Amino acid sequence: MSEPNTAPAGIDVGPVTCWFASEVPGARPPLRFDLIPGGRSNLTYRVEDGAGRAWVLRRPPLGPILPSAHDMGREHRIMAALEPTPVPVPRMVGFCGEPEVTGAPFYAMEFVDGLVLRNPDVVAGVPEAIRWTAAESLVDTLAVLHDVEPAAVGLGELGRQDGYCARLLRRWSAQWEQSKTREIPLIEEVAERLGRRIPTQGPARLVHGDYRLDNAVTDPANGRVRAILDWEISTLGDPLADLGTLLVYWAEPDDEFSPLFWAPTVAPGFPTRKHLAERYAERSGRDISDLDFYVALSLWKVAVILEGVYARFAAGAYGNTDDSHRQIGTVVPQLAEAAAEATARAGG
């Protein structure tokens, strides 16, 4: 049974408790709120009631946020729409669009028990056979996601269906201008080069936008994915962009750096990026001959995203921080260089 606690930043205990008691069937105050560490965007909390039931609450970061960013209603809508499909997502239990409750809109979902393979310390307790299964299950789940017809689950109007990569380049270029803390000319150069090399897009699918191992909950017994999390930047578009993102975050032992610090996939037992790409092609039936373009695009986008995270860390938007924001600031130029190299391989 939980004990009431001093709530972490971003939670106003009284109003949020009242909301749970009113909107979440069976919730029994008092509630305990604990910040789930590791996120670099929205704030995520574990909520436990007096009977020991658990949920997850998601809200935007503290302080000012960029326009159109951190849309809790959109993330809630996407996961609710996917619940009847084979795509594993947590069950939604409620959305609060009134910022006066705790300073920003938020939503609550069921807590999915399992492992989030976020760093080598977690991976160290997982057998190598389970690591391999988790990797393949993640890829297979991506193929399942990209098989969903958006209109069939009520998401056909989630966004424009054509010109995804061009729209992504425009959007994140604008975000760069709003959030950058220094000049990195290669960011603008890579965006221009990618804009001249965009492949022809096939039928639009739901694009997760941040598809990676640490945004999945896996079953510790067999490695299969139990839930895909963090849908905040999902939209309709080119599904191969998700594959590019997965590969960018999938570090290998000989890599010079990774956008994920202490990347879990450098441990023994995980397959290579090549294996993941080939398995996705097999499971999805998609042509991946333009994969270098999507890898370059993802490297560039992650550089822009991390610059925004770096700016928010420096401004104190995540409450008390350690020195990790300095590491984030260092990796942004490295990502820009890697994006330029991948763009050259793609013929851009």
Side-chain angles (χ1 to χ4, degrees):
M1 181 179 297
S2 68
E3 297 291 338
N5 64 334
T6 301
I11 296 294
D12 192 342
V13 173
V16 175
T17 298
C18 289
W19 183 87
F20 264 82
S22 171
E23 302 296 329
V24 180
R28 293 176 55 185
L31 302 182
R32 179 181 179 88
F33 301 90
D34 293 290
L35 181 67
I36 297 175
R40 294 174 181 155
S41 186
N42 290 325
L43 297 173
T44 306
Y45 308 84
R46 188 180 192 273
V47 183
E48 186 175 330
D49 75 355
R53 289 185 62 194
W55 300 270
V56 169
L57 183 151
R58 292 260 290 172
R59 59 148 292 161
L62 308 178
I65 60 176
L66 294 170
S68 78
H70 313 286
D71 187 338
M72 297 292 95
R74 181 185 181 87
E75 190 171 14
H76 176 271
R77 174 191 172 192
I78 290 168
M79 284 192 281
L82 289 173
E83 282 182 33
T85 76
V87 180
V89 291
R91 188 179 70 83
M92 298 294 102
V93 296
F95 170 71
C96 177
E98 305 299 326
E100 58 267 23
V101 174
T102 195
F106 66 89
Y107 69 87
M109 58 187 176
E110 284 195 337
F111 181 84
V112 178
D113 197 15
L115 289 176
V116 177
L117 301 177
R118 192 181 304 282
N119 57 52
D121 290 339
V122 178
V123 170
V126 177
E128 289 189 21
I130 298 295
R131 300 173 194 176
W132 188 278
T133 301
E136 294 194 330
S137 178
L138 189 67
V139 173
D140 293 351
T141 300
L142 186 60
V144 169
L145 169 63
H146 293 160
D147 193 45
V148 173
E149 291 278 358
V153 294
L155 296 176
E157 304 300 321
L158 186 67
R160 283 182 52 189
Q161 300 202 16
D162 60 340
Y164 172 75
C165 292
R167 287 186 283 115
L168 189 149
L169 285 165
R170 288 194 298 270
R171 176 191 176 185
W172 290 104
S173 291
Q175 298 283 46
W176 171 258
E177 292 301 322
Q178 294 180 68
S179 63
K180 66 181 179 180
T181 64
R182 60 257 166 101
E183 295 298 326
I184 305 179
L186 197 54
I187 293 289
E188 288 89 351
E189 179 184 330
V190 169
E192 292 175 2
R193 291 165 60 187
L194 289 172
R196 297 193 296 265
R197 179 65 180 80
I198 297 174
T200 301
Q201 179 185 307
R205 289 292 186 265
L206 184 63
V207 177
H208 181 278
D210 197 22
Y211 199 85
R212 62 194 204 214
L213 184 61
D214 65 326
N215 276 338
V217 180
T218 60
D219 188 325
N222 56 35
R224 295 190 181 92
V225 172
R226 286 181 171 176
I228 300 296
L229 310 174
D230 293 2
W231 296 82
E232 65 176 288
I233 58 174
S234 301
T235 189
L236 303 184
D238 191 331
L240 290 177
D242 272 341
L243 180 60
T245 297
L246 175 60
L247 299 184
V248 162
Y249 283 115
W250 199 269
E252 295 182 3
D254 294 334
D255 290 347
E256 294 182 5
F257 74 98
S258 168
L260 286 180
F261 306 105
W262 311 289
T265 57
V266 299
F270 286 105
T272 63
R273 289 186 289 264
K274 183 175 184 290
H275 178 85
L276 298 184
E278 291 174 348
R279 187 175 180 94
Y280 176 84
E282 176 188 348
R283 290 294 190 271
S284 68
R286 287 187 169 83
D287 178 7
I288 62 169
S289 58
D290 285 319
L291 185 55
D292 280 330
F293 171 87
Y294 296 99
V295 169
L297 180 65
S298 294
L299 284 163
W300 172 84
K301 185 186 76 170
V302 172
V304 175
I305 290 172
L306 289 185
E307 181 72 5
V309 173
Y310 173 62
R312 292 194 296 276
F313 259 119
Y318 296 103
N320 294 330
T321 64
D322 51 27
D323 286 339
S324 62
H325 72 280
R326 293 188 179 88
Q327 293 177 292
I328 293 171
T330 299
V331 83
V332 172
Q334 294 176 302
L335 284 166
E337 292 281 355
E341 293 172 5
T343 303
R345 292 197 304 269

